[in-house]
Amino acid sequence: KPRYAESWDFEVSGSSFLQFEISMGCSKSTSFSHGVRLEFSTDCGRHWALITPECVPPAIGCAGYTQSSVYTSTQYKHWRRVTVYLPSAANSPRTRFRWIQTHFTPGAEGWALDNVLLAPGCPWMCSGHGLCDNGRCVCDKGYGGSHCVPLVPLPSVLRDDFNENLQQETWPEVYGVERGTLSGEPLKSGTALIFKGDGLRMLVSRDLDCTRTLYIQFSFKFITKGISWLLLDEFYFPTSTDTLSVHNPPVLADSFEGGPADANWLFYPGGNTGLYCPYQKTGLSSNGPVRLEFSRDFGATWHLLVPLCAGGPQPSSLCSTELHPASVYYSGTTQGWRREVVHFGKLRLCGSVRFRWYQGFFSPGAAPPTWALDNVYIGPQCQDMCNGHGSCVGGTHCACDPGYSGADCSVPDSPNPDFLKEDFEGGVVDADRFRQLSGGKPSRKFVQFFLRLGCGKASPDPRSQPVLLQYSVDGGLTWGLLQDFLFSNSSNQARLVALEIPLRARTATTRFRWWQPSENGHFYSPWVIDQVPDDDHNHRSSLNHEAQSSLTTL
C-alpha cells in the first residue's frame, strides 16, 4: 500500500498558496525514483493531479521550465521548507491535497511532513525567505521587514573557477556533481564541476542583486544531455570548450541576393527571386493569408509560430499575459514592405526546428494574393531587439530606421509627440499618426461618438470578439492592454470612453492601437471610433443631429 497524507476539502482561491516542511529518508540518501508526490483533487478524491507538472525541453506552452511537485531525498535529505503557488485548476470550493509515496522499499525510505499551511497568503509569499504565520512573515536569518527582504545588500558579482571546494554560502544547492578534470585534462584550467551523478543534476547559486547585470559567462562542455533550470537561454551540444556568453550563433540570414541559399531552404514552390513592387495596391482580403509556422518533427506536423492570444474565459496554454495577433498575414493589411519581429525566447523552442511561410495549395487558374519575403534573419537578438526601430545585423548591432539612432535604435532624431488627436475629417488617415490601419476606413455612414460597437438598429452579433485598446512603449514589439470593449445589446449606442493612461504607458515613445481579434479574418459586427470632444455637452448634441466623419471597421 502507498504511504500518504490526505487533507480535508478546503476552499482555494487565486490568492491561496501552500507551504510546508518536508524531510526525506531521515537524513539518509534513498532511491531518487521513490519520491513523494504533492497532488490535488477537486472531485472529492476521485481524480488527482500534480500541483506542478514537470516542464522540460522539448515541451512547449509552459510559462517556464520547472521541476514537478515530486520531492526526493536528493534535494530533501534534511528538513526544508517548500512554498508553492497553486495552479488555477486547483481553485474550487472543495479542493483537497495529498502527499503520496506510491513506491518504496519496505522498512526504509521514510519521510516526514510538518508545519503545513494553506492560506490566502503573506506579502510577496515572504519572498521565499520566511514562514507565513497568520498573514505575517516570520523571516529567515538575514532577512526582515514585512516582505522578508535582505537586511544587507546582496552581492552583485559571482565569480568561481571551481579550483577550490564549493562554498555553501555561494552554492547552497549542489546535486549530481563532483569537482575534478575530464580524463585528467582540465576544461580550461585547474578543476571544473562535472555533472555525472544519478538522478538530479543541478547547481543553484545564492541570491544575487542583478539589477545592473547584463551577461552571464562561463565555460562548459557537454558530455551527455543536459537542460537548464530557470530559462535564460538553451544550450546545445558543441564539441568546443570556448568561453560563451548567453547567445547562440546565427541560424539563418538570407537577403536572397543571387537567389535563395541552398543551405537555408528546402522548398519554395510557386516562388522565384526578383523585384517586387513595394507599393503594389491590394485590397484587404481574408482569402489566401500567409501563415508563419514551425515544425518539430521534420515537417510531419506544423503549428502557428505565434498563436492568437485574445484573452477569453479559456486562454490557450501557449499564451502569456500579453494579447497579440497570430502569425497569419492578410493581403492589404500593409501597403509596402513591413518588418516583422518574433521573439523566440517567449516561445520555448529548442532542438531541431524548421519554419515555413505557407499560403496553401491553389489550383491552376486561381488568383490568390501575391506576396514577397526578404531579409530573413534567425539568430541571436541585438540589444533590446533594436526597440522595434531597426534591423538586427548578425546579432551584433542594429541598423536603425530613418529617424532613429543609438546602439539600440532607442533615440529619436526629434522628440515624439506627447499627444494623439484625430477627428478623421477629410476622409484620409494621417500615416504619421496611425502606422497601420487594417479593416477600417474613414466614412460618413454612421452617427457615432468616439466608440460604437455595432452600427445597426439591431443588437450586434454576440459572437463578435471584443475590441482591444492597447499600448506599446517599445516600438510595437510588445503590447499592454488598456481596456477591452465588449459587444452587448446596448453597445451599438455611441458613448464617451475616458481612460486614464497608466504610469507605465507615460513614456516618450508610446503608441496605441485599437484591435479586434479574429480567428480567420472574418468579423460579425462593425465598430466605429471618433474624436474625444473637448466640450462633452455640445458634442453630444452634434451626435444626435449631425452625420460626422468617423473611422469605421467593415
Side-chain angles (χ1 to χ4, degrees):
K1 294 182 179 180
R3 297 167 174 167
Y4 66 94
E6 183 175 329
S7 74
W8 290 103
D9 291 339
F10 293 92
E11 181 176 353
V12 173
S13 65
S15 62
S16 300
F17 78 100
L18 184 62
Q19 190 176 73
F20 59 92
E21 295 181 6
I22 190 171
S23 177
M24 302 282 299
C26 297
S27 300
K28 298 179 181 178
S29 295
T30 59
S31 172
F32 63 87
S33 62
H34 294 173
V36 174
R37 299 167 56 93
L38 173 57
E39 303 174 326
F40 74 95
S41 173
T42 58
D43 56 5
C44 302
R46 288 192 293 271
H47 300 90
W48 294 90
L50 281 173
I51 289 287
T52 308
E54 183 182 58
C55 180
V56 298
I60 62 174
C62 307
Y65 292 151
T66 182
Q67 296 173 271
S68 66
S69 55
V70 179
Y71 309 105
T72 65
S73 63
T74 306
Q75 281 184 279
Y76 300 91
K77 185 188 303 184
H78 305 286
W79 282 105
R80 182 174 169 186
R81 184 178 59 245
V82 179
T83 304
V84 294
Y85 287 97
L86 299 179
S88 58
N91 296 345
S92 83
R94 54 179 188 280
T95 302
R96 64 178 61 177
F97 302 90
R98 75 175 180 184
W99 292 257
I100 182 169
Q101 185 183 36
T102 55
H103 300 89
F104 54 88
T105 302
E109 299 177 331
W111 52 281
L113 195 66
D114 201 0
N115 295 324
V116 178
L117 172 69
L118 174 67
C122 284
W124 297 0
M125 294 181 69
C126 303
S127 304
H129 291 291
L131 178 68
C132 186
D133 184 15
N134 292 324
R136 299 181 60 185
C137 292
V138 180
C139 300
D140 299 336
K141 182 179 179 181
Y143 296 83
S146 59
H147 304 86
C148 292
V149 297
L151 296 178
V152 296
L154 294 173
S156 58
V157 175
L158 186 151
R159 181 179 290 110
D160 202 333
D161 57 12
F162 303 118
N163 290 333
E164 304 292 338
N165 291 330
L166 297 183
Q167 298 297 317
Q168 174 69 22
E169 182 181 5
T170 304
W171 306 104
E173 296 187 61
V174 182
Y175 310 108
V177 64
E178 64 181 44
R179 193 168 56 87
T181 59
L182 299 174
S183 300
E185 295 293 330
L187 179 66
K188 275 296 182 180
S189 63
T191 58
L193 291 187
I194 303 174
F195 293 83
K196 62 179 183 180
D198 293 334
L200 180 65
R201 298 174 180 175
M202 185 167 68
L203 178 68
V204 182
S205 76
R206 63 165 298 173
D207 290 349
L208 299 169
D209 181 357
C210 292
T211 54
R212 296 180 180 271
T213 301
L214 296 178
Y215 299 100
I216 177 173
Q217 184 172 290
F218 53 92
S219 301
F220 76 98
K221 182 176 183 179
F222 277 111
I223 305 172
T224 57
K225 293 184 178 181
I227 60 171
S228 57
W229 168 54
L230 182 60
L231 187 69
L232 286 177
D233 217 320
E234 296 173 8
F235 307 99
Y236 302 99
F237 296 24
T239 57
S240 68
T241 57
D242 294 335
T243 298
L244 297 180
S245 295
V246 184
H247 289 287
N248 291 330
V251 177
L252 183 151
D254 204 333
S255 62
F256 302 107
E257 297 294 334
D262 293 338
N264 293 337
W265 308 97
L266 290 175
F267 315 104
Y268 41 93
N272 54 73
T273 55
L275 298 178
Y276 186 80
C277 180
Y279 299 106
Q280 180 182 13
K281 292 187 177 181
T282 56
L284 182 64
S285 173
S286 61
N287 297 323
V290 177
R291 297 166 57 93
L292 174 54
E293 302 175 322
F294 75 97
S295 174
R296 305 173 57 85
D297 51 14
F298 305 102
T301 59
W302 293 90
H303 312 274
L304 277 176
L305 182 61
V306 181
L308 175 66
C309 296
Q314 295 181 338
S316 168
S317 61
L318 299 178
C319 295
S320 62
T321 56
E322 181 185 338
L323 304 179
H324 52 72
S327 54
V328 181
Y329 308 103
Y330 298 92
S331 66
T333 301
T334 301
Q335 296 295 334
W337 288 99
R338 169 182 167 187
R339 181 176 58 240
E340 287 289 321
V341 180
V342 179
H343 188 195
F344 282 11
K346 299 179 180 180
L347 304 178
R348 312 298 180 191
L349 295 179
C350 66
S352 177
V353 182
R354 67 175 60 175
F355 304 90
R356 75 175 182 184
W357 288 258
Y358 181 68
Q359 193 179 24
F361 175 79
F362 296 92
S363 59
T370 60
W371 55 283
L373 196 65
D374 201 1
N375 294 323
V376 178
Y377 170 76
I378 302 174
Q381 71 178 47
C382 292
Q383 183 176 350
D384 295 328
M385 298 177 70
C386 303
N387 281 280
H389 294 297
S391 300
C392 184
V393 181
T396 59
H397 64 280
C398 294
C400 298
D401 298 336
Y404 289 87
S405 60
D408 57 357
C409 302
S410 62
V411 182
D413 294 347
S414 58
N416 288 320
D418 57 4
F419 69 94
L420 172 66
K421 182 179 180 181
E422 178 62 74
D423 56 12
F424 302 107
E425 299 295 338
V428 178
V429 176
D430 192 337
D432 292 334
R433 295 191 178 117
F434 293 90
R435 183 175 299 271
Q436 183 178 350
L437 174 62
S438 176
K441 66 178 182 179
S443 172
R444 290 183 176 272
K445 291 179 62 178
F446 303 105
V447 174
Q448 52 75 48
F449 179 56
F450 186 62
L451 178 65
R452 179 171 175 170
L453 306 181
C455 300
K457 294 183 179 179
S459 299
D461 196 307
R463 295 174 294 177
S464 299
Q465 291 273 16
V467 176
L468 308 179
L469 174 55
Q470 298 174 288
Y471 68 90
S472 174
V473 297
D474 54 11
L477 293 177
T478 59
W479 293 89
L481 180 66
L482 263 181
Q483 183 71 47
D484 56 349
F485 303 100
L486 304 178
F487 286 79
S488 66
N489 292 336
S490 59
S491 67
N492 57 350
Q493 300 297 319
R495 59 191 176 109
L496 170 66
V497 176
L499 294 175
E500 181 180 4
I501 297 177
L503 289 177
R504 58 185 177 275
R506 298 177 187 177
T507 73
T509 57
T510 301
R511 66 173 61 170
F512 297 92
R513 76 175 178 189
W514 288 261
W515 170 49
Q516 185 182 22
S518 171
E519 292 281 356
N520 53 19
H522 293 284
F523 300 91
Y524 297 101
S525 297
W527 50 279
V528 184
I529 59 173
D530 200 0
Q531 60 183 343
V532 176
D534 295 326
D535 184 336
D536 181 60
H537 179 269
N538 292 340
H539 191 80
R540 191 185 302 264
S541 299
S542 69
L543 274 174
N544 294 330
H545 301 290
E546 298 179 15
Q548 296 202 346
S549 183
S550 61
L551 183 65
T552 306
T553 66
L554 303 177

